[in-house]
Structure formats: C-alpha cells, structure tokens
Amino acid sequence: EDQVTQSPEALRLQEGESSSLNCSYTVSGLRGLFWYRQDPGKGPEFLFTLYSAGEEKEKERLKATLTKKESFLHITAPKPEDSATYLCAVQAWSPSVEGGSEKLVFGKGTKLTVNP
Amino acid sequence: GAGVSQSPSNKVTEKGKDVELRCDPISGHTALYWYRQSLGQGLEFLIYFQGNSAPDKSGLPSDRFSAERTGGSVSTLTIQRTQQEDSAVYLCASSLGLARTQYFGPGTRLLVL
C-alpha cells in the first residue's frame, strides 16, 4: 500500500529563519510527487511536481528536492505570508491499472507558522 | 481564467438525508477527481472521471456514495442517507488529462447533525 508521512506535524519559525519540511514515501513505483499549499478554509494550491530522484524545483522562497525515499521542501528566509499547511502527495504506477493510478495519496501535512 | 468551482460552499444536513455536491472543472480539463478531507486525516481519494467514465471508484467508502459526470464537464457527488461520519470537506480537482497536475476547488464543507 502506498504511504506518505510528513514531518514535523507543525513548525514555528521566525521571519527569516530558514528550515525544511520532510515527506517520506513508500510506493510500488513513483509516477510523480506533488507539493501543495493549503490555507485555512481553502482548497490545496499546486506548488511543484517532481518525477525522478535528483530533481529540484524552485519558486520564490521555496525549493523542492526528491530522493528515492523522500522529498524536502526547503523554505529560505520565510515571511509571515508563507504560513500555511504544506501537503505532499504521491502518484504511483499500478499493476492493476493500465498506465498507472491517477489518484493522489496525501500525507497529513505540515502546518507552518511564520512569526513576524 | 476561472478555476475549479464547487457548490454549495457549506452544507448542513440531518442524519439520514441525501445530499448532492456539485463540481465545475476548469474549462477544457478532461479529468475530474473527488477527494474527502476529514479532521485529523489527510485527503482521501474517492473517485475520478476521464470524460464521463469513472475508471477508478475504489475510494468510495460505501454504496451510499455515488458520482456522475455529464457532458464531460460538471460532476455531482451524491451521498444517500447521510451519517455523522460523512462530515468532512469534499474537494474536487480537475486536470488537462491523465497523469497531469490536479488543480483543486475550494471544497464543500458538509456537516451532518
């Protein structure tokens, strides 16, 4: 069974204090790993897709990296507006579904709070 | 352009009643997905559509749950004889096609009393 574990569950940072969020995954075959941001009362907002180990993607203060077992979301010099819950999800190849499974399997998220 | 829209945004119902939740995908998106987000739980996959067909219904928790999609666009998720454990946020997503990025709507918050 495909599983995603995110850590820590919650993280408090001071503005400007860089840190990383972890996403460990177990899948039969990784088709893609996705990072989303979710603000309270809203739907998840897409950030990044990573497909293979060694891949990195950046957007403003965020950088996502991928290994064969985990992904990291690095936040450099965060600002209060970066406060949100960050969700990691995997999409897997499935032997029972031609072309692979379309469903995303999500972790429970990391709630990030950045204090001014 | 317009994103995924869902209605209603909030729904309060009594145990045993039926509810219908609606999703309008991004224009041109052929794939549509339903997920559920419960307190303390991650997002759970329910069902997805490619066009009007549903190749994977494996996440529907019971036969009280059903979904349909018409005209390759709007989808409706129906929950019959609602139970208190059905209380959750129901999220819809759409994508340009299979194996493409899924974009989420704002969700419908369902409370079953």
Side-chain angles (χ1 to χ4, degrees):
Chain A
E1 183 180 338
D2 303 327
Q3 288 189 326
V4 177
T5 303
Q6 291 188 247
S7 61
E9 290 184 12
L11 180 63
R12 285 186 174 272
L13 299 174
Q14 289 298 122
E15 185 172 2
E17 179 186 2
S18 302
S19 188
S20 296
L21 282 54
N22 178 264
C23 171
S24 298
Y25 63 90
T26 305
V27 293
S28 50
L30 184 67
R31 202 175 179 198
L33 185 140
F34 301 80
W35 283 98
Y36 288 85
R37 167 191 171 130
Q38 188 172 29
D39 292 299
K42 296 189 176 182
E45 176 188 344
F46 171 72
L47 293 173
F48 303 109
T49 308
L50 301 167
Y51 294 103
S52 57
E55 191 174 359
E56 299 182 351
K57 288 194 176 172
E58 288 189 65
K59 179 181 178 180
E60 296 181 354
R61 296 177 292 283
L62 300 177
K63 179 180 177 180
T65 62
L66 181 65
T67 73
K68 289 185 178 179
K69 294 184 178 181
E70 56 192 359
S71 177
F72 292 93
L73 185 65
H74 307 278
I75 303 177
T76 302
K79 298 182 177 181
E81 53 261 43
D82 295 322
S83 297
T85 295
Y86 290 84
L87 300 171
C88 173
V90 297
Q91 193 175 55
W93 294 104
S94 170
S96 62
V97 179
E98 183 179 347
S101 173
E102 292 303 312
K103 71 178 183 183
L104 297 179
V105 176
F106 281 85
K108 294 186 178 181
T110 293
K111 184 177 180 180
L112 174 66
T113 303
V114 182
N115 296 313
Chain B
V4 177
S5 61
Q6 295 186 243
S7 60
S9 52
N10 293 280
K11 177 72 177 179
V12 181
T13 191
E14 294 179 348
K15 178 182 171 181
K17 295 285 179 70
D18 298 351
V19 295
E20 284 190 352
L21 312 180
R22 176 187 168 110
C23 172
D24 281 272
I26 294 171
S27 179
H29 280 198
T30 60
L32 184 148
Y33 313 79
W34 284 99
Y35 292 84
R36 177 169 75 172
Q37 187 172 34
S38 306
L39 265 178
Q41 301 294 320
L43 275 84
E44 301 171 286
F45 168 80
L46 298 177
I47 185 172
Y48 93 90
F49 291 89
Q50 175 59 26
N52 294 332
S53 300
D56 188 352
K57 308 177 183 180
S58 62
L60 294 177
S62 75
D63 58 9
R64 296 186 296 105
F65 288 72
S66 63
E68 65 175 10
R69 190 179 185 196
T70 55
S73 181
V74 171
S75 177
T76 302
L77 177 68
T78 301
I79 309 174
Q80 294 179 310
R81 304 180 302 281
T82 52
Q83 304 294 311
Q84 289 182 332
E85 60 262 29
D86 299 334
S87 296
V89 177
Y90 289 82
L91 290 157
C92 176
S94 70
S95 66
L96 272 172
L98 302 182
R100 303 294 292 273
T101 298
Q102 297 179 24
Y103 296 91
F104 284 81
T108 292
R109 283 147 195 80
L110 175 67
L111 178 61
V112 182
L113 301 176

